[in-house]
Amino acid sequence: MVVWRRWVFPILLVLVLGIAAAALVKIAFFPDTAPTAAAQPSAQIADPVVPVERGAVTNALSLPGTIARDTAYPVRSEVDGTVTAVHVGEGQAVTAGQKLFTIKQTDPVKNIDVLAPEAGDVTEIAVVKGQPASIGGDLATLTPARFHVQATVDPVQLYRLQGAPSEGSVTIQGGPAPFTCTGLKVSVAEDGTTTVTCAVPADQVVFAGLQAQLDIDLGTVSDVLVVPTTAVKGGSGTGVVWVDAGTGELEERDVALGVSDGAIVEVTTGLEEGEQVRQYVPGVLAGEDPVCYDDGMGGEYCEPAGWSW
């Protein structure tokens, strides 16, 4: 043990310290690799551009709607006289031409039958037997056996509905095959509520309150110049795009717009095929979330950021 303490342990300690010192010298003065140069940017960030191309665009609007009964209206007397008979009761279903009342005309004296103008339900009777009747006076209220589809949309959709066709396609979940409704019209109430309605054909069996989808084809074009809607500021006929001429500068240019499906839009004037336009309107970031609106029927529809119909 004396030999180990006096000779072996001290020699081993000197060897270990020597190896450690040699390693530190190598790390400090003889590194394995040369120092890495500071990273330099390899390219500058540029605005993404897309070419003006030819394509086809279909502007189709799908609206959630409801089947509703047509509005009731009054049945009025066309003569002066006295009601001598009431042939129906409130809530009764009647057919077109069915006798509702008999009025004894005073001049000249004769009996006049008042007939149902169309099939429906007599929802209210305004006169009784023996009561005087006058021209234009209400005799009853008739709710016609006609139905329509109605859908409520945000007023901004009025731009898309300009020049809308006179018909649409109706789909009822769990109902008959899709069918065509006619007489499509758009109305705006005093409170700004925008409603789209169209008539259900008489041969279709439907019921008030059913949920339906109303599809409207607002225009289809093919072989036209198109750009993404994200590249256009504006909408509804006119807009602005930013053209890249390859000089590093962006040229702001007015364009005329046609049909759009929400993703791409037809450019009728202002651009040539092959020109490069900025993909996103300045101030709108790539991938920025779309702007969504309540459709008034428990759902929503969305538009690209910076776009308006």
Side-chain angles (χ1 to χ4, degrees):
M1 287 297 296
V2 174
V3 173
W4 280 88
R5 283 198 302 269
R6 288 185 177 181
W7 301 104
V8 176
F9 287 153
I11 291 172
L12 291 175
L13 179 61
V14 170
L15 289 174
V16 170
L17 293 176
I19 292 171
L24 292 174
V25 170
K26 183 179 185 303
I27 292 173
F29 299 102
F30 305 98
D32 291 334
T33 58
T36 302
Q40 298 294 327
S42 58
Q44 294 182 340
I45 298 176
D47 294 328
V49 295
V50 292
V52 180
E53 300 177 322
R54 290 195 171 274
V57 189
T58 297
N59 181 10
L61 186 61
S62 293
L63 302 174
T66 306
I67 302 295
R69 192 85 174 259
D70 278 14
T71 304
Y73 60 89
V75 178
R76 295 188 170 97
S77 175
E78 296 182 355
V79 298
D80 290 326
T82 302
V83 177
T84 58
V86 178
H87 303 288
V88 293
E90 288 189 358
Q92 181 177 335
V94 297
T95 59
Q98 183 173 336
K99 190 185 299 184
L100 303 179
F101 305 94
T102 298
I103 298 175
K104 185 176 181 179
Q105 184 176 290
T106 55
D107 185 21
V109 177
K110 63 178 180 178
N111 290 327
I112 302 295
D113 290 328
V114 179
L115 307 180
E118 62 178 311
D121 296 327
V122 178
T123 51
E124 183 180 354
I125 293 178
V127 295
V128 296
K129 182 180 178 180
Q131 181 176 337
S134 58
I135 295 177
D138 290 354
L139 300 175
T141 299
L142 182 69
T143 301
R146 292 182 276 110
F147 295 85
H148 62 273
V149 182
Q150 62 182 27
T152 303
V153 298
D154 194 282
V156 71
Q157 294 284 39
L158 287 171
Y159 288 113
R160 293 185 69 184
L161 290 166
Q162 287 181 316
S166 60
E167 60 184 35
S169 176
V170 180
T171 303
I172 301 176
Q173 185 175 4
F179 57 87
T180 299
C181 65
T182 57
L184 189 145
K185 61 181 180 179
V186 181
S187 59
V188 182
E190 291 184 359
D191 62 358
T193 302
T194 303
T195 305
V196 181
T197 59
C198 62
V200 174
D203 60 350
Q204 289 292 336
V205 178
V206 296
F207 304 94
L210 288 175
Q211 299 301 301
Q213 177 176 301
L214 175 58
D215 295 312
I216 308 171
D217 184 356
L218 297 168
T220 299
V221 292
S222 59
D223 194 29
V224 296
L225 297 180
V226 296
V227 296
T229 54
T230 56
V232 183
K233 182 178 181 180
S236 184
T238 59
V240 178
V241 298
W242 282 259
V243 181
D244 183 358
T247 62
E249 298 292 331
L250 293 174
E251 174 194 346
E252 185 175 324
R253 191 181 298 177
D254 293 331
V255 293
L257 306 175
V259 177
S260 174
D261 63 3
I264 59 175
V265 59
E266 174 193 8
V267 179
T268 57
T269 61
L271 290 175
E272 298 291 337
E273 184 177 3
E275 287 189 297
Q276 302 284 326
V277 298
R278 195 181 194 275
Q279 186 175 2
Y280 298 97
V281 171
V284 176
L285 302 177
E288 186 171 340
D289 291 339
V291 179
C292 296
Y293 300 88
D294 184 356
D295 64 11
M297 301 295 291
E300 63 179 14
Y301 69 91
C302 300
E303 300 171 354
W307 171 262
S308 67
W309 294 101

